[in-house]
Amino acid sequence: MAEQAEDSIPKGESVSSPDKIEEKPHDLDSSSSDSDSDDEDKLEPSSSSAMDRSFRLFGRQKPVYHVLGGGKSADILLWRNKKISTGVLLVVTVIWILFELLGYHLLTLVSHGLILTLTILFLWSMATTFINKSPPRLPEVSIPEDLALNVALSLRTEVNRGFNILKDIVSGHDLKKFLAVIAGLWILSIIGSSVSFLTLFYIVFVLLHTVPVLYEKYDDKVDFYLEKAMAEIEMHHAVIRAKVVSKSRAVQTKLKKQQ
């Protein structure tokens, strides 16, 4: 009986020990899940604050796709459809090579293109009369009235907006905007004196096909460095403005003393 009691005791311990062992992983899982949830709670505010900071920069409250206007133009600029974007870039590159590198002129190119097209269609129509086949079906090309009106209205709106911007610049209320416009026009005049208009257009076109894509991919880093640069510019602008104001006051006090 004593031996049976001694045998029963270790068996009881061996049966109860897996229960104790099984309870420990549950405790570890619960503690680890709690720590993971705490870590997630800690990470969420920082990510949301980063998003708020990036969206507040320059007043951009929308994604780049909506800033570019959305639709097919934004799809082309952001390379949503790589075939169309590549085709447009190749066509513009070929036009730039023809006019800029090969010295082709627009009137010459249009005339040669029309000569080639009209000759092919005329010979095709003549050949069908001898072969007893139907002549080629030419599509009817016409500009819709609604499209012409929409283009005219949009052009009118943009021209009026440009006039309002110029009026706001020369009103004398915002010195920083006036200096920025003068600096931009001065830089544009320097570029125009050394680069032709077609080359400048091609450079701008290539930049429009590369900069928005790169900005959409690295917008957090770009916004961070632009924010630092704008802070530095604001600081230097405040210092220069304070110096100008102090000098103007000193001149006014001297004039008053002389009077």
Side-chain angles (χ1 to χ4, degrees), residues 223-243:
D223 288 340
F224 175 74
Y225 288 113
L226 281 177
E227 188 178 8
K228 291 179 67 177
M230 290 299 296
E232 292 291 332
I233 292 170
E234 290 289 339
M235 183 178 66
H236 291 296
H237 178 263
V239 172
I240 293 171
R241 189 173 183 179
K243 288 181 180 179

Side-chain angles (χ1 to χ4, degrees), residues 2 4 15 51 62 64 71 121 123 126-127 146-147 151-152 158 167 202-203 225 254 257:
Q4 291 178 356
V15 170
M51 290 295 291
K62 297 179 180 179
V64 181
L121 291 175
L123 293 176
M126 290 288 292
D146 295 335
L147 179 61
V151 170
E158 294 298 328
K167 184 180 177 181
Y202 180 70
I203 292 170
Y225 288 113
K254 287 182 180 179
K257 287 180 180 179

